[in-house]
Amino acid sequence: MADVEIRNVYKSYGDTQVIHGVSVFIRDGEFVVIVGPSGCGKSTLLRMIAGLEAITSGDIAIDGRVVNEVEPKDRDIAMVFQNYALYPHMTVAQNMSFGLRLRRLSKREVADRLRRAAEILQLSELMDRKPRQLSGGQRQRVAMGRAIVRDPAAFLFDEPLSNLDAKLRVQMRLEIKKLHRELGATSIYVTHDQVEAMTMADRLIVMNAGIAEQVGAPLDIYECPASAYVAGFIGSPAMNFLACEVTGDGRAVHLNGSGELALNGNGATAGGGVATAGIRPEHIAVCGGEDADLHVTATMVEPLGADTLVHGALAHDGAAAGPELTIRLPGIVRIQAGEQLPLRIDRDRIHLFDAERGTRIN
Amino acid sequence: MIERAHWFDRLTYGALIVGAILVCMPIYYAVIVASMPDGSESDAVYLLPGGHLFENLANAWNKEGLGRQLFNSGVMAVGVTVGKIAISLLSAFAITYFRFRFRMTAFWLIFITLMLPVEVRIVPTFEVAANALAPFQAIIDLLAIERVAGWLAGHEVDINLEWSLLDSYTGLILPLIASATATFLFRQFFLTVPEELCEAAKIDGAGPMRFFFRILLPMSTTSMAALAVILFIFGWNQYLWPLLITTEPEMTTVVIGVARTLPTEDADAQWNLTMATAILATLPPVAVVLLLQRWFVKGLVDAEK
Ligand SMILES: Nc1ncnc2c1ncn2[C@@H]1O[C@H](COP(=O)(O)OP(=O)(O)OP(=O)(O)O)[C@@H](O)[C@H]1O
Ligand SMILES: [Mg+2]
């Protein structure tokens, strides 16, 4: 058990800097998910914590001890790799115990730990198989087992589920979460799947091009994204962005062709000027014609059963010409493509972002 | 479509059969000649066996020195095989997994030796083998160390380093051990090993040599077996080098032994004996191929993942 502190960490490969100063404090026992698009530096950050990648500047401390110069094996961490990285010529038992044997633990201790891990992960039947005789999900479990037997201060996961099919991914997601509740070890989990991020994390680190753009609890980030980037990345389908004009007192906005929408209680910090309004698809409803803030012409309808996604173009002077908009309506709603819909926007949940820098301004 | 495939099948089988006949003909003929009675016409062409095969084989076997020669060949072939595999595994490991200064230089040096087979570098190799310490002697001469030592000792000093590898197993084996081909083969194999495996081992606490012995080596066994077959035959079939480096009959190899039974100007040809000896000389490589063929094919077809 340990906390992990990342203090102003930079990473460069030659002349190209890929991590531009990240600082995060990860509490003991916390499950933190690092999420971001491909190439934003998630793996690099994780690998620096693991000690597989040198830190260009800044410090990483595990349990209060700066580990910049400490070998991976002495950092008291365990890592689960995306492709599992099981030793192909060893049996499951040998794979899991390899590290323990190198540490010269007694035979009994090794056997004890193996048995316990095998029970937790339901691997007892498979201990004598080679990795190639296992299914993807079973391999995944062995990789987890190899981490568990080490009894590390922190678990590091680099996209451990991305090689599994959708169903298995959901199942393993729950298992990892359950495991975390049982073991209570600090876990740092890298993914680019935002459903994994939202459901597993105690806290999320949203990364963008080498910086930690926002750190916080998943729902806090969902409800109050710090930037247009985060707002667009978290939530599916993605948030709609519309150009808008903020009134002089900052209490209301004019959307593209709409009337004045009062921002109930979350007015802009500064009045006047143009901004970007962010509206989540689920915060738009179909309404009676007289209440409508906007009209869209539906271009595509995706019925999902639990809810219905409507893609449409903002109507302008009766013609569908404006920007695209996605709307999420609860339940089954029968709408035809080409239909014009009057829409009402949930005023309490309009996010405003600086038009240029993308930072939140309300 | 089916008709065409049918024809294509026939064509490939035809090519295969012709090729097999071409390859097998000399072997068949060697067996035929080896079964002829003593004193048969040497320029006659025989097609059917003569019924004296085992008698001739026994004679060849009992001929003086053949057992010794087979033994020498065995030592040399095994030595070359083991040495080559060991050296090239290690050098491939170094080139693939370590970032050291002059890494690319080392890589290219090895690569260049690909173009220099034994025959090309045979004269300098022989000189070194005649006195393995010659390079050190050259350095000593160059630096005038003799004079310095003489001055220190107060009397004349003569330094003569000599370590001859002639007529020794070391001399037979050592110069053939460096192998660019095998190094490349293993490098290629190591490159296909996922990087995460190395990282997982690091986290598990394995140092470089542990990683090498406990993970890379066991993973390479099939390629090693495949290579061993090729290298054993290579070592066994060496002719020029053993011819140069050995002078004592005690140290000759069987390939040279076979060559020595060829007719010279002042001796009668005994083709049946020559062929019988040749057949005996091919048996060990055949045995090795049969023994390792399962792994050999596996190593060539699928590097076990
Ligand atoms: N060895 C390297 N040399 C140079 N640049 C590198 C190296 N490794 C990674 N990078 C760069 O660093 C950046 C971050 O890479 P990283 O692997 O951390 O991305 P990621 O967020 O994990 O992406 P993904 O989701 O695709 O795994 C990328 O732009 C990548 O090109
Ligand atoms: Mg990655």
Side-chain angles (χ1 to χ4, degrees):
Chain A
M1 308 292 120
D3 48 45
V4 176
E5 185 168 13
I6 302 166
R7 273 194 297 258
N8 210 18
V9 162
Y10 287 78
K11 173 71 188 177
S12 308
Y13 290 107
D15 290 337
T16 40
Q17 202 177 64
V18 296
I19 304 281
H20 315 285
V22 170
S23 300
V24 188
F25 183 82
I26 296 162
R27 286 186 292 274
D28 186 13
E30 203 172 16
F31 198 109
V32 166
V33 174
I34 304 177
V35 67
S38 189
C40 69
K42 309 181 293 289
S43 300
T44 308
L45 191 60
L46 193 76
R47 291 161 54 81
M48 284 195 286
I49 300 171
L52 298 171
E53 207 76 69
I55 300 163
T56 307
S57 82
D59 285 329
I60 290 178
I62 298 176
D63 206 10
R65 174 179 68 136
V66 174
V67 293
N68 289 24
E69 304 297 330
V70 177
E71 291 282 314
K73 67 181 163 90
D74 299 322
R75 292 192 178 195
D76 201 11
I77 46 103
M79 185 151 170
V80 179
F81 295 87
Q82 176 173 0
N83 62 7
Y84 321 133
L86 299 178
Y87 310 121
H89 59 288
M90 295 187 195
T91 64
V92 169
Q94 288 167 337
N95 258 290
M96 283 166 57
S97 62
F98 184 61
L100 302 183
R101 284 179 285 141
L102 288 187
R103 261 154 238 264
R104 309 207 179 287
L105 261 65
S106 73
K107 275 216 171 80
R108 271 203 35 215
E109 177 76 19
V110 172
D112 269 0
R113 290 197 188 190
L114 273 189
R115 195 164 29 75
R116 226 174 318 137
E119 267 165 29
I120 295 176
L121 295 165
Q122 293 151 21
L123 283 171
S124 308
E125 310 288 301
L126 308 173
M127 293 306 267
D128 294 324
R129 298 238 194 126
K130 294 269 177 71
R132 77 182 118 81
Q133 300 165 317
L134 300 177
S135 72
Q138 290 167 335
R139 281 180 215 181
Q140 175 59 49
R141 277 209 193 95
V142 177
M144 303 268 305
R146 188 167 63 180
I148 290 175
V149 293
R150 303 258 322 265
D151 196 13
F155 283 101
L156 309 178
F157 300 87
D158 192 353
E159 308 203 22
L161 306 184
S162 56
N163 281 356
L164 302 179
D165 64 51
K167 201 172 154 202
L168 206 51
R169 209 179 306 168
V170 174
Q171 185 191 334
M172 286 306 293
R173 196 169 81 201
L174 294 172
E175 276 187 37
I176 292 178
K177 199 60 192 150
K178 202 174 95 207
L179 203 63
H180 174 249
R181 214 169 310 131
E182 278 170 31
L183 302 176
T186 313
S187 305
I188 306 174
Y189 187 106
V190 163
T191 181
H192 60 241
D193 180 322
Q194 56 142 318
V195 179
E196 265 172 42
M198 293 294 288
T199 52
M200 299 178 84
D202 293 332
R203 265 196 315 157
L204 266 184
I205 301 174
V206 184
M207 289 200 52
N208 177 21
I211 58 165
E213 186 114 354
Q214 188 171 7
V215 181
L219 287 182
D220 290 348
I221 291 182
Y222 175 83
E223 286 184 330
C224 191
S227 67
Y229 174 81
V230 175
F233 192 78
I234 298 294
S236 171
M239 185 184 273
N240 297 296
F241 293 106
L242 297 172
C244 71
E245 222 168 288
V246 184
T247 56
D249 60 0
R251 296 273 184 82
V253 291
H254 292 280
L255 292 182
N256 188 339
S258 79
E260 191 168 297
L261 305 184
L263 297 165
N264 299 342
N266 58 346
T269 45
V274 290
T276 306
I279 304 154
R280 295 210 179 269
E282 48 272 43
H283 298 151
I284 305 175
V286 178
C287 62
E290 63 277 14
D291 291 337
D293 297 321
L294 297 168
H295 293 269
V296 297
T297 311
T299 51
M300 199 169 56
V301 182
E302 296 176 300
L304 299 177
D307 40 32
T308 305
L309 298 184
V310 181
H311 302 275
L314 223 52
H316 204 66
D317 298 332
E324 296 275 328
L325 209 62
T326 306
I327 306 144
R328 180 186 208 146
L329 303 170
I332 299 169
V333 185
R334 299 197 189 277
I335 291 172
Q336 300 296 321
E339 222 173 291
Q340 217 182 57
L341 304 170
L343 300 177
R344 187 158 176 90
I345 292 164
D346 184 344
R347 286 159 169 67
D348 294 329
R349 285 166 163 153
I350 297 177
H351 307 268
L352 284 183
F353 303 102
D354 186 287
E356 273 150 31
R357 281 171 295 144
T359 47
R360 186 180 189 90
I361 54 171
N362 73 332
Chain B
M1 208 47 211
I2 292 162
E3 198 65 5
R4 288 250 299 276
H6 191 64
W7 274 108
F8 192 68
D9 271 2
R10 284 190 185 187
L11 195 73
T12 42
Y13 272 113
L16 210 60
I17 289 166
V18 170
I21 289 174
L22 283 178
V23 171
C24 292
M25 239 355 245
I27 297 169
Y28 174 73
Y29 198 62
V31 175
I32 297 289
V33 172
S35 67
M36 288 297 147
D38 284 345
S40 332
E41 284 295 318
S42 63
D43 44 4
V45 174
Y46 307 98
L47 284 177
L48 293 172
H52 295 259
L53 178 63
F54 292 100
E55 183 188 324
N56 286 334
L57 283 179
N59 282 342
W61 177 253
N62 290 327
K63 215 170 43 169
E64 206 184 338
L66 188 76
R68 177 76 197 179
Q69 290 170 3
L70 281 170
F71 176 76
N72 289 345
S73 281
V75 171
M76 180 179 176
V78 170
V80 168
T81 306
V82 172
K84 264 188 193 254
I85 289 182
I87 292 271
S88 36
L89 269 172
L90 281 171
S91 45
F93 179 55
I95 288 176
T96 323
Y97 284 93
F98 294 88
R99 308 270 163 275
F100 52 93
R101 203 186 288 256
F102 303 126
R103 176 167 154 270
M104 285 323 276
T105 319
F107 180 80
W108 283 109
L109 275 178
I110 295 174
F111 189 78
I112 285 170
T113 62
L114 259 183
M115 299 170 221
L116 297 175
V118 183
E119 289 74 13
V120 176
R121 55 184 162 89
I122 203 145
V123 173
T125 310
F126 182 80
E127 271 197 25
V128 172
N131 181 7
L133 297 177
F136 297 97
Q137 182 77 52
I139 293 171
I140 287 170
D141 292 346
L142 190 74
L143 298 179
I145 286 176
E146 278 184 3
R147 250 185 288 152
V148 175
W151 177 78
L152 280 174
H155 58 81
E156 203 139 293
V157 172
D158 200 15
I159 302 178
N160 260 321
L161 299 176
E162 202 174 326
W163 178 33
S164 169
L165 300 179
L166 300 183
D167 281 317
S168 70
Y169 289 126
T170 321
L172 275 173
I173 294 167
L174 215 51
L176 298 179
I177 273 184
S179 168
T181 328
T183 307
F184 271 85
L185 194 118
F186 284 125
R187 173 178 174 268
Q188 230 43 43
F189 173 71
F190 290 166
L191 287 178
T192 66
V193 173
E195 215 172 314
E196 282 89 346
L197 223 51
C198 181
E199 296 177 341
K202 259 190 217 165
I203 291 177
D204 266 340
M209 286 330 274
R210 275 248 173 72
F211 173 66
F212 179 70
F213 283 113
R214 304 276 298 264
I215 292 164
L216 271 188
L217 271 197
M219 285 177 70
S220 322
T221 42
T222 44
S223 348
M224 273 159 69
L227 204 61
V229 174
I230 299 172
L231 294 181
F232 183 88
I233 294 170
F234 166 86
W236 186 271
N237 286 346
Q238 282 302 313
Y239 177 67
L240 191 55
W241 182 246
L243 189 64
L244 273 181
I245 194 135
T246 60
T247 48
E248 289 173 27
E250 281 288 277
M251 293 302 296
T252 44
T253 60
V254 75
V255 176
I256 293 174
V258 172
R260 294 244 163 93
T261 66
L262 290 177
T264 50
E265 279 173 26
D266 42 37
D268 272 344
Q270 277 194 299
W271 281 109
N272 52 352
L273 265 191
T274 304
M275 287 307 167
T277 317
I279 288 170
L280 287 178
T282 49
L283 288 183
V286 169
V288 167
V289 170
L290 289 181
L291 217 65
L292 292 182
Q293 78 165 343
R294 198 169 60 89
W295 289 26
F296 180 65
V297 174
K298 208 169 159 191
L300 291 186
V301 175
D302 65 346
E304 190 185 355
K305 271 169 236 114

